[in-house]
Each structure stands twice: as structure tokens, then as C-alpha cells.
Amino acid sequence: MFGAAANADGGAGRTARRGVVVTVACLSVLVAACGSAAKPRASGPATAPAAARAGQVGVMDLAAPGLGLVALVPGAQGAGSALLVSSADDGRSFVTIGPVTAAGTRPDDVFFLGRDDGWFTVFNVDTAAETLYRTTDGGHSWRASSVPGHDLAAGAEDTVQFVTPAQGWLLDVQPTGPLESLYVSTDGGASWRPVASSRPGAGQGVLPELGLVRFGPGPAGWLGGGMFSGALYQTGDGGLTWRRASIPAPSGSIFGLPAVFGRTVVEPVTAGQALLLYRSTDGGTHWQEVSVLPGATAGGCAAGQVSVSLPTPRSGWAAAVRAGRTLVYRTTDGGLRWARTAASWPVPPDSCEPPAIQATGPSQAWLLTAGSRRLYATANGGATWRRIDPAAVAAAG
């Protein structure tokens, strides 16, 4: 099993909430230089008609039991703007909490640290300008600031994570550059400074490969979770230097982001069609294989990417594609036994967009299906799933 250590970072499911693997697509424009942040400006909840602004689910954040955030992409006409809605009852009802965003904006990421402190990033499809919105009162009011830029080619992504209301990191990924840059903020996101990059400048560290980055309390962090991630890397100095974790996974494996429970670290790895879990009890120095789920996925494109959420030392969830359908697996004994939930969902032909699952415990999880990006919720361990309809979500505005 995973071990019984307390989770020091406030939720392993939050640490890897975007899933194990992120789809990587084409980009061409290099990241904008990190300049002085713009003066924050006040902004309240969105008031524009939601139905005219929102369409498909962009990103989600299951931030706490019962509390979920959904960022919606503008509708098919593309004239709308990004919209952020919140549910306090496991997706049964929503309220619009997002700030008023400009026309032509798309959501990049949403991250809430508890119920009050939240960050919402959007980019403009015409100018590539990235804006970070910050709330300290659960979305009743927002302040905005400019952040390091965004690329307009498909697959570009900025992700944000905060470990305290003041300290956080922003990661700008441009896969076809290829280029990835890591920034840190100590004032809640009002300003940022570069820490490391795949093409570092003076005084910056070197990122060893493209992938997601997640930090725990203090300067400890992890790099992994890219579509072509060939290893897991660890930093102990806030991202300036990185070392490769000595995980004895098969050659060609895809590494995800780990779940951290004090000194116990659990790392999900996709090896061919199998999902493997490796555990370290000394903070990442030594590793051993503790779980195997054979045949979890069929391999190839979206079918080769497994999303994993490990919210507690014993409970875990995985979503993958096999035989043209999105499947969900669940464990309650630290991975010794995995069971497939009864429901499954068809994947559009030739789709390369993987599923994503986030959980807050053994009973509650949200699933974004592969390709179709339909959102479902379960509150009974996957026995039943309830569709969260984006049209109903948009109607909250």
C-alpha cells in the first residue's frame, strides 16, 4: 500500500490534479520576456450573458470535497470570453464567480487553495497576452495582473500553482519550440521572476525536459507529466537545479506527477498498456514498485495516456482509453487491487485528447472524458456517474 504518512502539501490529488499526462501539440512562437507586472485592476464577478460566452469545458479544479471549479471556453462562434463557474454541491448547481474577461479570451488554468484563495489565467487569441486573475474571497472580487506570455499555436499552456496565498509558480509550456519556462511569485501573483527554463538566461536554472511542475511546502518540487516524459525529476531549491529520480521503470515508460504524503512519495508510470505505481519512503531517494494494473490502456495517442489522481495514501483513481472508450479504475488499498467502474464513455474516432480525472477521496471524483470532454461526477466511489452539462453550467451566468 501507499503508506500512512500525512499529506504535507494539502492534498495529493491537488498536486497532480491536471492528470498524469498532458497532450503536447504544435507551437512556434517563443515565450514573451518576463517584464514588470502591470498594475492590478479591480474586477468583480462576470455579468455578461453566459450562454453567449461559454461553450465547452476548458479546465476543471476539484479543489476540496464538494467544491469544484469549471472554466468554460467560448462557444462555437468564438466571439465570447472565458467564464469561470463554481459548485459547492458536487456539480449539482453552479454560480458564476469568474471575473469579467475580454472578448476573445480562452481559459488556461484555474487553481484554488481552499475555498477563498483562487487564481484564474486566461489568454487572448488575438494578442497572445496572458492575464492572471486573483481572488481572496472565493470569487466575490478579483484583481488582475499581466503575467509571462502565452503562445497561440495549439498545445501551448500556462499552468499555475500556489502553496501559500503568497507563494506560487507559473509554468509556460511551448512544446514545439520546444520551450518551457518556470516563474515564481511571492506576492500572490502580482509579479513574477524567472527561475528556470529549457533555454535559460543568466542566473536561471535548466529544466531537463518538458513537463508539468508541482511544488509542495518549501522549495521541494517535481517535474514530469509530459506526453514524452522519459523520467521524473526532483528539485530541492525551488527549481534552480534538478536531479533525475532513480525509478526502475521499463524503458520507454511515461512518467506522471507524484502524490506526496510527507516523506512518502507515490509515482504513477504508464509502461506500454500497464499502469505502474512506484513508492519512495525517503522523499524520493529510493523507489520500489508497489502496484501493477495490466491492460489499463490500449496504447497510442489518447489511448496511451493515463490520468491518475491519488488523494489519500490508500485511495486512487485512474482514467484511460481502451477499445475506443474512456474507462475509470479505482483502488482503496493502495493499489494492491484495482477495480474498473461499471460506466464507460465512447471516444470520438481519431481523437488524441486524453481523459482527466480528479478526486478528493475514495468516494468523490470528477471525470473529463477523452475527446468529447464531457464532465461527470461520482459521489459513491464510481458506482454511478452524473453528467455535468456545460449548457447547464453556462446557464449559471
Side-chain angles (χ1 to χ4, degrees), residues 283-369:
T285 301
H286 301 93
W287 298 84
Q288 63 176 349
E289 182 183 296
V290 295
S291 173
V292 180
L293 174 59
T297 181
C301 204
Q305 303 179 50
V306 182
S307 175
V308 177
S309 181
L310 306 171
T312 74
R314 295 184 63 84
S315 63
W317 298 74
V321 173
R322 186 170 181 83
R325 303 187 72 84
T326 297
L327 307 178
V328 175
Y329 306 91
R330 175 175 170 264
T331 181
T332 57
D333 58 9
L336 295 179
R337 292 177 296 274
W338 289 87
R340 206 188 95 183
T341 63
S344 66
W345 301 266
V347 177
D350 303 320
S351 173
C352 279
E353 192 164 29
I357 194 162
Q358 297 174 24
T360 57
S363 299
Q364 185 186 32
W366 281 18
L367 169 72
L368 196 58
T369 58

Side-chain angles (χ1 to χ4, degrees), residues 114-217:
R115 295 181 179 272
D116 293 327
D117 291 289
W119 294 262
F120 179 40
T121 58
V122 303
F123 68 96
N124 189 292
V125 297
D126 295 318
T127 65
E130 183 91 7
T131 302
L132 181 142
Y133 295 93
R134 166 81 163 102
T135 181
T136 59
D137 54 15
H140 293 289
S141 62
W142 296 82
R143 294 180 70 83
S145 59
S146 297
V147 294
H150 189 285
D151 189 86
L152 292 180
E157 181 181 46
D158 281 10
T159 58
V160 64
Q161 180 214 4
F162 278 77
V163 295
T164 71
Q167 184 176 21
W169 282 264
L170 183 142
L171 188 70
D172 177 52
V173 182
Q174 302 179 33
T176 61
L179 179 65
E180 179 166 308
S181 299
L182 178 67
Y183 303 85
V184 67
S185 175
T186 56
D187 55 13
S191 63
W192 299 85
R193 65 174 178 84
V195 176
S197 176
S198 55
R199 300 177 188 173
Q204 298 181 40
V206 179
L207 295 177
E209 69 174 35
L210 270 62
L212 291 179
V213 174
R214 285 292 179 266
F215 283 86

Side-chain angles (χ1 to χ4, degrees), residues 260-304:
V260 181
F261 308 93
R263 294 283 290 170
T264 298
V265 185
V266 183
E267 167 67 3
V269 175
T270 304
Q273 298 182 5
L275 171 64
L276 312 178
L277 295 183
Y278 292 86
R279 182 181 64 188
S280 170
T281 57
D282 55 12
T285 301
H286 301 93
W287 298 84
Q288 63 176 349
E289 182 183 296
V290 295
S291 173
V292 180
L293 174 59
T297 181
C301 204

Side-chain angles (χ1 to χ4, degrees), residues 227-267:
M227 185 175 181
F228 306 105
S229 177
L232 177 70
Y233 297 87
Q234 183 178 8
T235 181
D237 56 13
L240 288 174
T241 60
W242 298 84
R243 66 176 179 85
R244 181 168 177 161
S246 56
I247 298 175
S251 177
S253 295
I254 300 175
F255 289 72
L257 285 172
V260 181
F261 308 93
R263 294 283 290 170
T264 298
V265 185
V266 183
E267 167 67 3

